[in-house]
Structure formats: structure tokens, C-alpha cells
Amino acid sequence: MWWTPAFLQRSHHMTVGQAGQLLGPMHLIAGTAGTLLAAWLVGRRSAADPRYVTRLLGWVTALTPFPPSSLLGAVGQAATALLWIFVPSVYFYIGPILGLLQT
């Protein structure tokens, strides 16, 4: 995720400013939404089965970012749509991991 601006500059011939304009709202909106969605999903089931948290985080972290990130280089204009899927999936683990650390 941290190399995405460099990827956009090299593969899609964007300037630093254009990459920032594209990725800034994604990290703000989709990153926040991914973190809040994870907190909501984990909060509902974590008391009943603590193993649910680690399973959910493992599956989402392992499976969700792979398809959009693997297709980013192959498709031109669809890269923006794929990034809107990739960014929240990467932010998904942040809230639950901090909760697990405190528990």
C-alpha cells in the first residue's frame, strides 16, 4: 500500500500531486470505512467466540487485497476502482488488532 503512489507515477504516468489527489480521499473515506466496518463486525461476535476475531482478520487480510492488487498493473482505467477495493481491505485489520492488543 505504501508503494501505491510510486506505482501510479510509474505505471500510469501520474505526477506526485495527481497520485496524492487520487489516493488521499481513498485513504480518508475508504480507510476509515474499512476500519469502522471491521470494528463493527468484530464487536458483534467477539464476546461469543474470541477465535472469530483472528479468523476474520486472517481471511480478510489474506484474500481481499490480493485480487485488486494483482490486477492493478494489467488494467488501465479500472485501476481507480480496484484501488477503492484495495485500500479499505488493507485498513481492515487496524481497529481489531488494537483491540486485541488491549485485551
Side-chain angles (χ1 to χ4, degrees), residues 22-39:
L22 179 68
L23 292 172
M26 285 182 197
H27 286 279
L28 176 66
I29 296 166
T32 302
T35 302
L36 293 175
L37 175 66

Side-chain angles (χ1 to χ4, degrees), residues 13-83:
H13 309 292
M14 292 184 168
T15 65
V16 174
Q18 290 171 329
Q21 283 181 324
L22 179 68
L23 292 172
M26 285 182 197
H27 286 279
L28 176 66
I29 296 166
T32 302
T35 302
L36 293 175
L37 175 66
W40 181 73
L41 288 172
V42 168
R44 292 176 46 125
R45 295 270 319 266
S46 63
D49 185 9
R51 296 174 296 177
Y52 172 77
V53 177
T54 55
R55 286 184 193 138
L56 177 69
L57 292 176
W59 283 109
V60 169
T61 304
L63 297 177
T64 309
F66 177 70
S69 64
S70 63
L71 295 173
L72 276 175
V75 293
Q77 298 298 348
T80 302
L82 291 170
L83 282 169

Side-chain angles (χ1 to χ4, degrees), residues 3 9 11-12 21 27 53 68 73 93 101:
W3 289 98
Q9 291 171 355
S11 297
H12 298 282
Q21 283 181 324
H27 286 279
V53 177
Y93 76 94
L101 287 172

